[in-house]
């Protein structure tokens, strides 16, 4: 009679160790994708005023010819707007800052060496037409059709990109009524001269009405609004 076969001793199965992945345990905070046009100088000041770290925001550029296209395409969470665009699908925050008014001219221009100018003087020179899909009522605030004294501001040049605008300014006597924050982005041969008799523009954030922004974006907007109220 054959000897009974010994039952093999089961090999213990190693206990499963539940390690957290870096994405859940030590992940960096999510960044706010903030749409900006031209300079990030104004945006970085708003970020600092809100008490957020510079790395907490990613700047996404947009052009004035299609200012809301990147927001509607989902490539940014919020964007900086000057004045209220009154777009039905956009919500707008409280003002989070202000941007002083200025005129952009070539370095050869008669107004280039001035410490500040009046919009009445600016009306001597040709400005830019409303570009692409930019809201017309906002452009009328940026580049008024008339000065406070009733002088027409001739809007005769096509506005496309900052590069094309700079090229026209450096080669002609054209002017562009704009904002002081562009001083940080224009080339050296384009001067940004403050306009002392136009009020500064309110600055706000806009986002799509369709869905609730992520919590980290809502926190950034709320912190910016709170900082502006101080």
């Amino acid at each position: 009679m054959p000897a009974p076969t010994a039952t093999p001793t089961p090999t213990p199965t190693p206990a499963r160790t539940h390690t957290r992945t870096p994405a859940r345990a030590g992940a960096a905070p999510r960044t706010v994708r903030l749409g900006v046009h031209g300079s990030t100088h104004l945006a970085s000041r708003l970020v600092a005023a809100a008490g957020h770290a510079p790395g907490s925001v990613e700047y996404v550029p947009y052009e004035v010819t299609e200012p809301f296209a990147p927001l509607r395409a989902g490539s940014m969470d919020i964007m900086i707007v000057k004045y209220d665009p009154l777009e039905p699908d956009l919500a707008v925050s409280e003002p989070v800052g202000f941007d002083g008014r200025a005129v952009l001219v070539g370095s050869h221009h008669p107004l280039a060496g001035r410490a500040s100018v009046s919009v009445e003087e600016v009306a001597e020179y040709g400005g830019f037409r409303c570009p692409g899909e930019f809201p017309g009522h906002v452009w009328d605030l940026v580049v008024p059709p008339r000065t406070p004294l009733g002088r027409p501001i001739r809007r005769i040049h096509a506005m496309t990109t900052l590069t094309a605008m700079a090229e026209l300014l450096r080669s002609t006597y054209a002017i562009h009524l704009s904002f002081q924050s562009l001083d940080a982005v224009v080339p050296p041969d384009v001067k940004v001269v403050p306009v002392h008799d136009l009020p500064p523009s309110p600055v706000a954030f806009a986002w799509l009405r369709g869905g609730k922004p992520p919590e980290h974006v809502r926190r950034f907007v709320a912190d910016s609004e709170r900082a502006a109220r101080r």
Side-chain angles (χ1 to χ4, degrees), residues 183-209:
D183 191 42
V185 72
V186 295
D189 54 357
V190 172
K191 303 304 177 184
V192 180
V193 183
V195 175
H196 57 71
D197 50 359
L198 286 180
S201 163
V203 179
F205 298 130
W207 60 91
L208 291 177
R209 288 187 185 275

mmCIF file of all heavy atoms in Angstrom, residues 183-209:
data_model
loop_
_atom_site.group_PDB
_atom_site.id
_atom_site.type_symbol
_atom_site.label_atom_id
_atom_site.label_comp_id
_atom_site.label_asym_id
_atom_site.label_seq_id
_atom_site.Cartn_x
_atom_site.Cartn_y
_atom_site.Cartn_z
ATOM 1 N N ASP A 183 2.779 98.716 -20.977
ATOM 2 C CA ASP A 183 4.157 99.209 -20.900
ATOM 3 C C ASP A 183 5.148 98.067 -20.708
ATOM 4 O O ASP A 183 6.314 98.182 -21.090
ATOM 5 C CB ASP A 183 4.275 100.218 -19.753
ATOM 6 C CG ASP A 183 5.592 100.958 -19.767
ATOM 7 O OD1 ASP A 183 6.035 101.352 -20.859
ATOM 8 O OD2 ASP A 183 6.200 101.140 -18.690
ATOM 9 N N ALA A 184 4.692 96.968 -20.115
ATOM 10 C CA ALA A 184 5.596 95.848 -19.831
ATOM 11 C C ALA A 184 5.819 94.941 -21.034
ATOM 12 O O ALA A 184 6.658 94.045 -20.960
ATOM 13 C CB ALA A 184 5.038 95.028 -18.666
ATOM 14 N N VAL A 185 5.101 95.156 -22.137
ATOM 15 C CA VAL A 185 5.176 94.201 -23.238
ATOM 16 C C VAL A 185 5.532 94.839 -24.583
ATOM 17 O O VAL A 185 5.969 94.145 -25.490
ATOM 18 C CB VAL A 185 3.852 93.408 -23.354
ATOM 19 C CG1 VAL A 185 2.735 94.253 -23.900
ATOM 20 C CG2 VAL A 185 4.013 92.138 -24.176
ATOM 21 N N VAL A 186 5.371 96.151 -24.727
ATOM 22 C CA VAL A 186 5.653 96.773 -26.022
ATOM 23 C C VAL A 186 7.161 96.840 -26.260
ATOM 24 O O VAL A 186 7.952 96.895 -25.314
ATOM 25 C CB VAL A 186 5.031 98.188 -26.115
ATOM 26 C CG1 VAL A 186 3.515 98.125 -26.072
ATOM 27 C CG2 VAL A 186 5.568 99.091 -25.010
ATOM 28 N N PRO A 187 7.583 96.860 -27.530
ATOM 29 C CA PRO A 187 9.020 96.980 -27.826
ATOM 30 C C PRO A 187 9.549 98.367 -27.442
ATOM 31 O O PRO A 187 8.770 99.313 -27.257
ATOM 32 C CB PRO A 187 9.082 96.744 -29.345
ATOM 33 C CG PRO A 187 7.709 97.025 -29.850
ATOM 34 C CD PRO A 187 6.769 96.676 -28.744
ATOM 35 N N PRO A 188 10.877 98.514 -27.345
ATOM 36 C CA PRO A 188 11.462 99.779 -26.887
ATOM 37 C C PRO A 188 11.115 100.988 -27.750
ATOM 38 O O PRO A 188 11.126 102.117 -27.252
ATOM 39 C CB PRO A 188 12.972 99.498 -26.906
ATOM 40 C CG PRO A 188 13.097 98.015 -26.847
ATOM 41 C CD PRO A 188 11.891 97.464 -27.536
ATOM 42 N N ASP A 189 10.829 100.779 -29.029
ATOM 43 C CA ASP A 189 10.530 101.914 -29.902
ATOM 44 C C ASP A 189 9.044 102.250 -29.948
ATOM 45 O O ASP A 189 8.598 103.015 -30.806
ATOM 46 C CB ASP A 189 11.062 101.681 -31.316
ATOM 47 C CG ASP A 189 10.589 100.381 -31.934
ATOM 48 O OD1 ASP A 189 9.874 99.614 -31.247
ATOM 49 O OD2 ASP A 189 10.917 100.118 -33.110
ATOM 50 N N VAL A 190 8.253 101.687 -29.043
ATOM 51 C CA VAL A 190 6.854 102.063 -28.859
ATOM 52 C C VAL A 190 6.710 102.574 -27.429
ATOM 53 O O VAL A 190 7.116 101.908 -26.476
ATOM 54 C CB VAL A 190 5.897 100.885 -29.116
ATOM 55 C CG1 VAL A 190 4.458 101.255 -28.729
ATOM 56 C CG2 VAL A 190 5.952 100.469 -30.580
ATOM 57 N N LYS A 191 6.159 103.769 -27.270
ATOM 58 C CA LYS A 191 6.044 104.402 -25.969
ATOM 59 C C LYS A 191 4.602 104.355 -25.467
ATOM 60 O O LYS A 191 3.654 104.509 -26.252
ATOM 61 C CB LYS A 191 6.510 105.858 -26.028
ATOM 62 C CG LYS A 191 7.950 106.009 -26.530
ATOM 63 C CD LYS A 191 8.921 105.192 -25.681
ATOM 64 C CE LYS A 191 10.345 105.276 -26.214
ATOM 65 N NZ LYS A 191 11.278 104.401 -25.442
ATOM 66 N N VAL A 192 4.442 104.148 -24.168
ATOM 67 C CA VAL A 192 3.139 104.114 -23.514
ATOM 68 C C VAL A 192 3.034 105.376 -22.658
ATOM 69 O O VAL A 192 3.691 105.495 -21.625
ATOM 70 C CB VAL A 192 2.980 102.844 -22.660
ATOM 71 C CG1 VAL A 192 1.619 102.820 -21.976
ATOM 72 C CG2 VAL A 192 3.149 101.590 -23.529
ATOM 73 N N VAL A 193 2.216 106.327 -23.105
ATOM 74 C CA VAL A 193 2.115 107.632 -22.460
ATOM 75 C C VAL A 193 0.778 107.717 -21.728
ATOM 76 O O VAL A 193 -0.279 107.553 -22.340
ATOM 77 C CB VAL A 193 2.222 108.768 -23.500
ATOM 78 C CG1 VAL A 193 2.198 110.132 -22.807
ATOM 79 C CG2 VAL A 193 3.482 108.615 -24.350
ATOM 80 N N PRO A 194 0.767 107.953 -20.420
ATOM 81 C CA PRO A 194 -0.494 108.047 -19.679
ATOM 82 C C PRO A 194 -1.420 109.128 -20.245
ATOM 83 O O PRO A 194 -0.962 110.193 -20.665
ATOM 84 C CB PRO A 194 -0.049 108.381 -18.251
ATOM 85 C CG PRO A 194 1.359 107.872 -18.167
ATOM 86 C CD PRO A 194 1.946 108.083 -19.535
ATOM 87 N N VAL A 195 -2.722 108.833 -20.241
ATOM 88 C CA VAL A 195 -3.758 109.804 -20.625
ATOM 89 C C VAL A 195 -4.451 110.222 -19.337
ATOM 90 O O VAL A 195 -5.146 109.412 -18.707
ATOM 91 C CB VAL A 195 -4.749 109.186 -21.632
ATOM 92 C CG1 VAL A 195 -5.890 110.164 -21.925
ATOM 93 C CG2 VAL A 195 -4.032 108.805 -22.918
ATOM 94 N N HIS A 196 -4.288 111.479 -18.942
ATOM 95 C CA HIS A 196 -4.711 111.888 -17.604
ATOM 96 C C HIS A 196 -6.189 112.229 -17.486
ATOM 97 O O HIS A 196 -6.706 112.344 -16.369
ATOM 98 C CB HIS A 196 -3.861 113.066 -17.114
ATOM 99 C CG HIS A 196 -3.875 114.267 -18.011
ATOM 100 N ND1 HIS A 196 -4.965 115.097 -18.152
ATOM 101 C CD2 HIS A 196 -2.906 114.771 -18.830
ATOM 102 C CE1 HIS A 196 -4.681 116.062 -18.996
ATOM 103 N NE2 HIS A 196 -3.443 115.892 -19.436
ATOM 104 N N ASP A 197 -6.896 112.372 -18.615
ATOM 105 C CA ASP A 197 -8.305 112.764 -18.511
ATOM 106 C C ASP A 197 -9.266 111.679 -19.004
ATOM 107 O O ASP A 197 -10.396 111.975 -19.372
ATOM 108 C CB ASP A 197 -8.564 114.092 -19.234
ATOM 109 C CG ASP A 197 -8.019 114.134 -20.647
ATOM 110 O OD1 ASP A 197 -7.407 113.143 -21.087
ATOM 111 O OD2 ASP A 197 -8.196 115.168 -21.323
ATOM 112 N N LEU A 198 -8.828 110.432 -18.988
ATOM 113 C CA LEU A 198 -9.719 109.284 -19.170
ATOM 114 C C LEU A 198 -9.660 108.455 -17.883
ATOM 115 O O LEU A 198 -8.569 108.198 -17.365
ATOM 116 C CB LEU A 198 -9.302 108.421 -20.361
ATOM 117 C CG LEU A 198 -9.585 108.968 -21.763
ATOM 118 C CD1 LEU A 198 -9.093 107.972 -22.816
ATOM 119 C CD2 LEU A 198 -11.064 109.265 -21.967
ATOM 120 N N PRO A 199 -10.800 108.016 -17.368
ATOM 121 C CA PRO A 199 -10.773 107.240 -16.119
ATOM 122 C C PRO A 199 -10.163 105.865 -16.336
ATOM 123 O O PRO A 199 -10.250 105.301 -17.440
ATOM 124 C CB PRO A 199 -12.260 107.134 -15.744
ATOM 125 C CG PRO A 199 -12.990 107.274 -17.038
ATOM 126 C CD PRO A 199 -12.178 108.214 -17.873
ATOM 127 N N PRO A 200 -9.532 105.295 -15.315
ATOM 128 C CA PRO A 200 -8.972 103.946 -15.452
ATOM 129 C C PRO A 200 -10.068 102.925 -15.707
ATOM 130 O O PRO A 200 -11.228 103.113 -15.333
ATOM 131 C CB PRO A 200 -8.276 103.701 -14.109
ATOM 132 C CG PRO A 200 -8.927 104.653 -13.162
ATOM 133 C CD PRO A 200 -9.320 105.854 -13.971
ATOM 134 N N SER A 201 -9.672 101.858 -16.353
ATOM 135 C CA SER A 201 -10.635 100.803 -16.679
ATOM 136 C C SER A 201 -10.761 99.820 -15.525
ATOM 137 O O SER A 201 -9.751 99.386 -14.953
ATOM 138 C CB SER A 201 -10.161 100.038 -17.918
ATOM 139 O OG SER A 201 -10.826 98.797 -18.032
ATOM 140 N N PRO A 202 -12.004 99.432 -15.167
ATOM 141 C CA PRO A 202 -12.157 98.334 -14.208
ATOM 142 C C PRO A 202 -11.697 97.024 -14.837
ATOM 143 O O PRO A 202 -11.881 96.795 -16.035
ATOM 144 C CB PRO A 202 -13.664 98.322 -13.928
ATOM 145 C CG PRO A 202 -14.280 98.949 -15.138
ATOM 146 C CD PRO A 202 -13.288 99.946 -15.650
ATOM 147 N N VAL A 203 -11.081 96.195 -14.034
ATOM 148 C CA VAL A 203 -10.586 94.891 -14.471
ATOM 149 C C VAL A 203 -11.347 93.815 -13.713
ATOM 150 O O VAL A 203 -11.545 93.918 -12.500
ATOM 151 C CB VAL A 203 -9.072 94.757 -14.193
ATOM 152 C CG1 VAL A 203 -8.560 93.385 -14.616
ATOM 153 C CG2 VAL A 203 -8.300 95.866 -14.900
ATOM 154 N N ALA A 204 -11.805 92.788 -14.430
ATOM 155 C CA ALA A 204 -12.572 91.709 -13.791
ATOM 156 C C ALA A 204 -12.189 90.387 -14.434
ATOM 157 O O ALA A 204 -11.412 90.338 -15.399
ATOM 158 C CB ALA A 204 -14.075 91.963 -13.922
ATOM 159 N N PHE A 205 -12.735 89.314 -13.902
ATOM 160 C CA PHE A 205 -12.572 87.976 -14.481
ATOM 161 C C PHE A 205 -13.896 87.536 -15.089
ATOM 162 O O PHE A 205 -14.967 87.830 -14.541
ATOM 163 C CB PHE A 205 -12.151 86.961 -13.418
ATOM 164 C CG PHE A 205 -10.827 87.249 -12.772
ATOM 165 C CD1 PHE A 205 -10.700 87.260 -11.392
ATOM 166 C CD2 PHE A 205 -9.699 87.513 -13.538
ATOM 167 C CE1 PHE A 205 -9.478 87.514 -10.785
ATOM 168 C CE2 PHE A 205 -8.478 87.778 -12.949
ATOM 169 C CZ PHE A 205 -8.361 87.771 -11.571
ATOM 170 N N ALA A 206 -13.822 86.833 -16.208
ATOM 171 C CA ALA A 206 -15.018 86.284 -16.845
ATOM 172 C C ALA A 206 -14.853 84.781 -17.006
ATOM 173 O O ALA A 206 -13.735 84.278 -17.186
ATOM 174 C CB ALA A 206 -15.251 86.935 -18.205
ATOM 175 N N TRP A 207 -15.962 84.044 -16.921
ATOM 176 C CA TRP A 207 -15.963 82.594 -17.120
ATOM 177 C C TRP A 207 -17.290 82.193 -17.751
ATOM 178 O O TRP A 207 -18.243 82.971 -17.796
ATOM 179 C CB TRP A 207 -15.723 81.855 -15.800
ATOM 180 C CG TRP A 207 -16.770 82.126 -14.743
ATOM 181 C CD1 TRP A 207 -17.922 81.435 -14.514
ATOM 182 C CD2 TRP A 207 -16.751 83.191 -13.774
ATOM 183 N NE1 TRP A 207 -18.620 81.986 -13.468
ATOM 184 C CE2 TRP A 207 -17.936 83.065 -12.996
ATOM 185 C CE3 TRP A 207 -15.864 84.229 -13.495
ATOM 186 C CZ2 TRP A 207 -18.234 83.943 -11.957
ATOM 187 C CZ3 TRP A 207 -16.169 85.106 -12.466
ATOM 188 C CH2 TRP A 207 -17.341 84.953 -11.701
ATOM 189 N N LEU A 208 -17.354 80.969 -18.240
ATOM 190 C CA LEU A 208 -18.557 80.478 -18.899
ATOM 191 C C LEU A 208 -19.664 80.232 -17.884
ATOM 192 O O LEU A 208 -19.431 79.646 -16.816
ATOM 193 C CB LEU A 208 -18.262 79.180 -19.662
ATOM 194 C CG LEU A 208 -17.366 79.307 -20.895
ATOM 195 C CD1 LEU A 208 -17.122 77.927 -21.495
ATOM 196 C CD2 LEU A 208 -17.966 80.236 -21.931
ATOM 197 N N ARG A 209 -20.876 80.649 -18.218
ATOM 198 C CA ARG A 209 -22.016 80.439 -17.334
ATOM 199 C C ARG A 209 -22.446 78.975 -17.287
ATOM 200 O O ARG A 209 -23.074 78.544 -16.335
ATOM 201 C CB ARG A 209 -23.210 81.262 -17.823
ATOM 202 C CG ARG A 209 -23.088 82.744 -17.612
ATOM 203 C CD ARG A 209 -24.394 83.426 -17.976
ATOM 204 N NE ARG A 209 -24.288 84.868 -17.905
ATOM 205 C CZ ARG A 209 -24.449 85.571 -16.783
ATOM 206 N NH1 ARG A 209 -24.721 84.947 -15.644
ATOM 207 N NH2 ARG A 209 -24.352 86.879 -16.793
#
